[in-house]
Amino acid sequence: MSDPTRPEGPKIIAVANQKGGVGKTTTTINLAAALAEEGYKVLLVDLDPQGNASTGLGVDVEDRTHTTYDLLTGDVELEDVIQTTDSQNISIVPATVDLSSADIELMSNEKRSFLLHDALRQTAMDKYDLDYILIDCPPSLNLLTVNAMIAAHSVLIPLQSEFFALEGLSQLMLTVREVRQTANAGLRIEGIVLTMFDARNNLSQQVEQDARDNLGDLVFETKIPRNVRVSEAPSFAQAVLDYDSTSKGAEAYRALAKELLAKNLKIAA
């Protein structure tokens, strides 16, 4: 599907936050599903050693013969690493716990911070005709996350609507700034999306107000609500859009995808 909102080749978005439990993997899976529903071809790169995005899209551990670890080390052909999923228009590079040792094992490689950047720009990637690549980063600011930021055009930050939500965000922003200055001058913040939002809760509303006061237009208008269907979907190895298409969670992720596409169209204009 032709898309004027992305750079030549697929647009690469790293979904990152060093805090765990903020809805990062859930957002990666469901944003991918919402973009796929719009007709875009999406590759999800699972860069988290926990491999939750792989599980959430139905890739069993025993079927993860080749993984992001192999993609980074270049030990296998691209077509052996990219797997199809049961979700139309979504493919994945799965992850296993092997990735947890990547920081140490890749330290001696002079190009260690550019491994993912180079892997995702192989000419062999062209045949997949991708529109978007979403990278599910680990909950830390380690070598894997730096690889994702150097490979990406932008960073999407899920922010849980809880006390101390903005704490740690400054460190993430600092990392983005350092990557801009040293390795990827074009990297930008795609936006910050509030997750697990409860409109009846004063704390959620306060977090939203603080985020908008401090970060302005970087904060998406769309908020992802606390929704039991969103929580249940991964246990059925599905995105919430497939698990319960009419749920509030599914509608929120559709709205997020539309807002993201509209933002990019405005920037491209």
Side-chain angles (χ1 to χ4, degrees), residues 47 49 72 99 102-103 106 116 137-138 142-149:
L47 207 61
L72 290 171
L99 262 184
D103 269 29
L106 300 176
L116 187 61
C137 297
N142 59 10
L143 179 60
L144 293 174
T145 301
V146 170
N147 257 271
M149 289 186 181

Side-chain angles (χ1 to χ4, degrees), residues 97-215:
V97 71
D98 289 353
L99 262 184
S100 58
S101 62
D103 269 29
I104 297 169
E105 292 185 26
L106 300 176
M107 195 54 68
S108 60
N109 190 320
E110 287 184 3
K111 296 193 71 177
R112 59 185 175 272
S113 297
F114 287 83
L115 295 173
L116 187 61
H117 172 280
D118 295 348
L120 295 179
R121 286 165 175 80
Q122 298 177 53
T123 53
M125 189 68 79
D126 295 346
K127 72 176 182 180
Y128 294 96
D129 195 27
L130 296 166
D131 296 296
Y132 285 90
I133 298 176
L134 302 185
I135 307 171
D136 186 33
C137 297
S140 59
L141 296 177
N142 59 10
L143 179 60
L144 293 174
T145 301
V146 170
N147 257 271
M149 289 186 181
I150 291 174
H153 298 108
S154 63
V155 181
L156 176 67
I157 305 169
L159 191 70
Q160 188 177 356
S161 303
E162 63 167 11
F163 200 57
F164 295 137
L166 295 178
E167 282 202 359
L169 198 59
S170 58
Q171 183 59 48
L172 181 59
M173 294 294 204
L174 188 61
T175 302
V176 171
R177 192 181 313 156
E178 288 173 354
V179 169
R180 270 195 198 125
Q181 291 172 348
T182 60
N184 184 3
L187 183 67
R188 67 180 186 85
I189 303 294
E190 188 71 41
I192 292 151
V193 57
L194 295 167
T195 60
M196 306 178 198
F197 190 86
D198 185 348
R200 302 164 299 177
N201 186 318
N202 287 336
L203 178 57
S204 283
Q205 294 182 28
Q206 186 60 54
V207 170
E208 178 183 11
Q209 191 60 53
D210 287 350
R212 296 195 189 283
D213 287 347
N214 284 285
L215 302 161

